[in-house]
Amino acid sequence: ACGPRIRGALVALAEGRITNDAAFVGGVTALFGYSTLAAFTGFEGTVHYDLVAYAVVAVTLWTHFGVDDPAVDPTAGEGSTPETANDADEEPIALTNGGR
């Protein structure tokens, strides 16, 4: 579900940039690592796999229903008019690379 975000975060970090994707991937990775240590060692930590799952679901829904790029939202730009939808606009889009 988050493959495109992970790839984007790795590319941004390789270029020396910190993006929202990098912060999200780092946070989820840290939480997953902490939960794994808590589950398999005896340091009495709390397991938070549910929070990892909630984060992945939230990003998946945001990617599917949210609009990050004003170029894909005809109402985001000034002076643009909404286009009439045709049959091709009604077909579902595969969620590869964040739905783009």
Side-chain angles (χ1 to χ4, degrees):
C2 293
R5 293 215 182 261
I6 293 169
R7 284 189 295 276
L10 292 175
V11 168
L13 289 174
E15 294 173 352
R17 296 181 297 121
I18 297 177
T19 61
N20 289 339
D21 288 343
F24 170 76
V25 170
V28 168
T29 302
L31 187 59
F32 186 82
Y34 172 82
S35 295
T36 300
L37 284 174
F40 294 108
T41 63
F43 77 86
E44 300 296 326
T46 306
V47 177
H48 296 288
Y49 289 123
D50 56 337
L51 297 179
V52 172
Y54 294 148
V56 170
V57 168
V59 167
T60 302
L61 291 175
W62 181 262
T63 301
H64 184 68
F65 294 110
V67 175
D68 292 334
D69 186 7
V72 297
D73 185 6
T75 61
E78 293 182 23
S80 61
T81 58
E83 298 178 11
T84 307
N86 58 24
D87 291 337
D89 292 338
E90 299 298 322
E91 294 181 21
I93 298 172
L95 290 179
T96 55
N97 195 15
R100 291 176 183 81

